[in-house]
Amino acid sequence: MSDILIAIIMGIVEGLTEFLPVSSTGHMILTAHLLGFEGEKAKTFEIVIQLGAVLAVFVLYWRRFLGMLRFKPGYMQERRANIVHVALAMAPAVVIGLALHSLIKTYLFGPETVLVGLVAGGILMIVAEKSRRKVTAETMDDISYKQAFGIGVFQCLALWPGFSRSGSTISGGMLLGTSQKAAAEFTFIVSVPIMFAATILDLYKSREYLSVEDMGLFITGLVSAFVVAMIAVVTFLNLIKRLKLSWFAYYRFVLAAIFIYVLFM
């Protein structure tokens, strides 16, 4: 199989799964194994295409991001999500992620740990759905500072590969009293700065594996991830009112079973 075709397939998988509560890491590991696309170059490629998915959310929400950066009298008192909400949601994962970055990359990015994350994350999603907490935030703009910070604490679970950032934060939001749609949209907003920073850091640490010869491979994967992620995010937000979170949890359990069969049998 040609490198360009591999890049397109991997980009599609990244774009489809990065912002859905199904674990993009689990899908990428399984897809890379099936395609025989593994090693340091493959790991660097996965970092690059993640940037494409991040850029897709920025393009979709650029007006919202610009609005958050326009400070004016009464900004903090406005009933809408602002930069403080985002900062509070980012803080826990940033602190823990920077402190444990090397340990996470060294010991947690393997099939076994991803398998644990898939199952544990699925259980969390079912618990969040069955908890039936009173909804105090129907829309993203109703989310309080306390809820934003709490969602950030749940986001720390995503540092364990396989848990899924969106799965952890949407579940956390629901347990803290937000609607499923509000939690999902807030997750997309928060993901941009934290994923962008994490991706740049990973790229810097993997810079020795970046080469001009692989530029076509990387650009193809990035563009594929960007286009598919845009479609996936819009589609997910349109479906979130009708789809139960548990459906994604059951899908994760099926994926875990496939993981076991393909990688360990």
Side-chain angles (χ1 to χ4, degrees), residues 30-97:
L30 189 60
T31 304
H33 178 78
L34 292 173
L35 294 176
F37 186 57
E38 298 170 299
E40 294 302 328
K41 185 174 80 170
K43 291 178 182 178
T44 305
F45 171 80
E46 290 172 15
I47 296 169
V48 171
I49 62 175
Q50 185 180 60
L51 184 59
V54 174
L55 291 174
V57 175
F58 179 77
V59 170
L60 287 171
Y61 287 96
W62 68 271
R63 288 188 179 86
R64 169 70 78 164
F65 285 112
L66 286 181
M68 287 181 172
L69 296 174
R70 289 173 181 166
F71 291 94
K72 57 184 178 181
Y75 174 83
M76 297 292 290
Q77 284 72 47
E78 289 184 356
R79 187 174 176 78
R80 59 179 294 151
N82 58 50
I83 197 71
V84 179
H85 288 88
V86 175
L88 287 171
M90 287 177 57
V94 168
V95 172
I96 295 176

Side-chain angles (χ1 to χ4, degrees), residues 35-265:
L35 294 176
F37 186 57
E38 298 170 299
E40 294 302 328
K41 185 174 80 170
K43 291 178 182 178
T44 305
F45 171 80
E46 290 172 15
I47 296 169
V48 171
I49 62 175
Q50 185 180 60
L51 184 59
V54 174
L55 291 174
V57 175
F58 179 77
V59 170
L60 287 171
Y61 287 96
W62 68 271
R63 288 188 179 86
R64 169 70 78 164
F65 285 112
L66 286 181
M68 287 181 172
L69 296 174
R70 289 173 181 166
F71 291 94
K72 57 184 178 181
Y75 174 83
M76 297 292 290
Q77 284 72 47
E78 289 184 356
R79 187 174 176 78
R80 59 179 294 151
N82 58 50
I83 197 71
V84 179
H85 288 88
V86 175
L88 287 171
M90 287 177 57
V94 168
V95 172
I96 295 176
L98 287 175
L100 302 179
H101 182 269
S102 296
L103 290 175
I104 291 170
K105 288 294 183 181
T106 302
Y107 297 107
L108 295 186
F109 272 79
E112 297 85 356
T113 52
V114 170
L115 186 61
V116 171
L118 281 169
V119 175
I123 293 173
L124 173 64
M125 291 159 66
I126 292 174
V127 170
E129 183 180 290
K130 302 300 182 184
S131 67
R132 299 186 183 279
R133 296 294 179 92
K134 180 182 178 182
V135 175
T136 59
E138 285 287 353
T139 70
M140 181 173 67
D141 288 324
D142 296 326
I143 293 175
S144 67
Y145 291 138
K146 183 178 179 180
Q147 287 172 322
F149 181 76
I151 290 172
V153 172
F154 274 94
Q155 184 173 219
C156 294
L157 292 173
L159 295 173
W160 185 289
F163 247 99
S164 164
R165 176 174 284 101
S166 58
S168 300
T169 52
I170 293 174
S171 298
M174 293 172 66
L175 288 169
L176 293 169
T178 75
S179 69
Q180 188 169 306
K181 187 176 187 300
E185 195 165 13
F186 186 63
T187 292
F188 297 151
I189 293 293
V190 174
S191 70
V192 171
I194 196 166
M195 285 178 61
F196 182 79
T199 301
I200 295 302
L201 176 61
D202 283 341
L203 279 177
Y204 175 75
K205 294 190 174 185
S206 304
R207 61 190 182 280
E208 62 184 289
Y209 302 106
L210 294 170
S211 65
V212 177
E213 291 79 9
D214 295 322
M215 195 63 68
L217 174 75
F218 290 166
I219 291 176
T220 301
L222 187 147
V223 172
S224 298
F226 173 82
V227 173
V228 175
M230 288 190 73
I231 298 171
V233 169
V234 172
T235 302
F236 180 59
L237 284 177
N238 288 332
L239 291 175
I240 199 69
K241 292 180 180 179
R242 299 190 295 274
L243 291 178
K244 292 183 177 181
L245 200 59
S246 58
W247 294 7
F248 293 101
Y250 299 142
Y251 172 82
R252 292 165 67 102
F253 298 152
V254 172
L255 181 64
I258 295 173
F259 229 84
I260 293 172
Y261 179 79
V262 173
L263 299 180
F264 302 112
M265 300 297 284

